[in-house]
Amino acid sequence: MAYKIIVIGASKGGGQALKTILSVLPVEFPLPVVVVIHREKDSDDGLNQLLQKVSSLIVVDAEDKQPILPGYVFLAPANYHLLVESTSAHCHFALSTAEPVNYAKPSIDVLFESAAEAYGNGVIGVILTGTMKDGAHGLAAVKKAGGQTIVQSPETCEASSMPKAAIAAAKPDNILPLEEIGLFLIKVGQASCLPL
C-alpha cells in the first residue's frame, strides 16, 4: 500500500507523546505528518519550537492554501480547524473558523474526515492520549476509506478516554504502546516508497 499522509490527533498529554514519536522519524521520512493537538484559543504555547527540538523534520503551523509536502510536521493553529483540500494538481490545507466540533477547535475529526476524503486509502490515522472523544469519528472515516488506523494503547496514555473512544468507534488496525508507534510509522512509510 502506498500511503500519502499521516494525520495524528492528541489532547491531554499529547505534547510529550508527540515528542516521543517525532524524535525517531528520520530526516528522509517520506510522508508529511499533520497534527491536531487541542490547544487554548489564544495559545502561543511554543509547541512548534518544543517539537522542533526533538524532530529531524521541519515543524510549522499550517497555513491556508499551503501545499502538503513531505519533510514537514504541520500543526493545526490554535482556534482554527485544519482541513485537507484536494485539487486535480495537488492537496493543500484550508483553515476554517467554524464552530468547535466535540468542544474542540481545532478538531481532530475535521482533519481526519477531510484527509480521508482527499486521500482515500492513502491515509494513516493515529489517535494518541487525550480526554473526551474527538477523533473517534475521524478515525472511523479513515478506516472506512481503506486507510491504516493506529491508536495508542490506553494503558500507555496520560489520559485514556480519547483512545478508548477511538478503539470503540473505529476498531483500529493497530493498538500500540507509545514507544512503538514511531517505529511502526517508519516501517510503513518505507514500504510506501518501495518500487512495485
Side-chain angles (χ1 to χ4, degrees):
M1 173 58 67
Y3 294 107
K4 302 281 179 17
I5 190 170
I6 296 169
V7 291
I8 299 177
S11 186
K12 182 179 169 88
Q16 190 58 47
L18 286 166
K19 285 169 69 175
T20 300
I21 292 170
L22 296 180
S23 67
V24 302
L25 300 183
V27 68
E28 68 276 4
F29 189 69
L31 303 177
V33 179
V34 187
V35 176
V36 166
I37 184 167
H38 294 155
R39 303 160 86 171
E40 293 298 319
K41 182 164 69 171
D42 301 316
S43 175
D44 182 16
D45 51 14
L47 181 63
N48 51 357
Q49 292 99 328
L50 184 74
L51 297 176
Q52 188 65 78
K53 288 179 181 175
V54 300
S55 177
S56 300
L57 306 171
I58 301 166
V59 182
V60 296
D61 281 347
E63 296 180 10
D64 197 52
K65 306 303 180 202
Q66 184 174 22
I68 301 172
L69 301 170
Y72 287 84
V73 177
F74 298 99
L75 304 178
N79 206 32
Y80 287 94
H81 293 305
L82 181 62
L83 297 92
V84 174
E85 291 186 339
S86 178
T87 66
S88 57
H90 67 281
C91 290
H92 61 265
F93 292 118
L95 297 181
S96 166
T97 57
E99 290 300 306
V101 175
N102 287 321
Y103 307 101
K105 186 164 130 184
S107 162
I108 299 165
D109 280 336
V110 168
L111 171 64
F112 280 39
E113 289 166 3
S114 67
E117 187 174 328
Y119 286 98
N121 64 3
V123 180
I124 301 170
V126 184
I127 295 292
L128 302 176
T129 177
T131 56
M132 298 190 293
K133 61 179 183 179
D134 188 22
H137 290 300
L139 196 69
V142 170
K143 175 99 173 190
K144 186 176 180 183
Q148 173 82 230
T149 51
I150 303 165
V151 175
Q152 180 181 351
S153 55
E155 59 272 16
T156 68
C157 293
E158 182 175 327
S160 63
S161 57
M162 202 164 82
K164 286 177 178 175
I167 290 167
K171 310 283 187 290
D173 301 304
N174 297 279
I175 301 170
L176 299 173
L178 177 61
E179 293 72 23
E180 293 181 18
I181 294 175
L183 298 173
F184 183 83
L185 293 176
I186 292 171
K187 185 173 78 171
V188 174
Q190 288 169 339
S192 294
C193 297
L194 292 176
L196 298 176

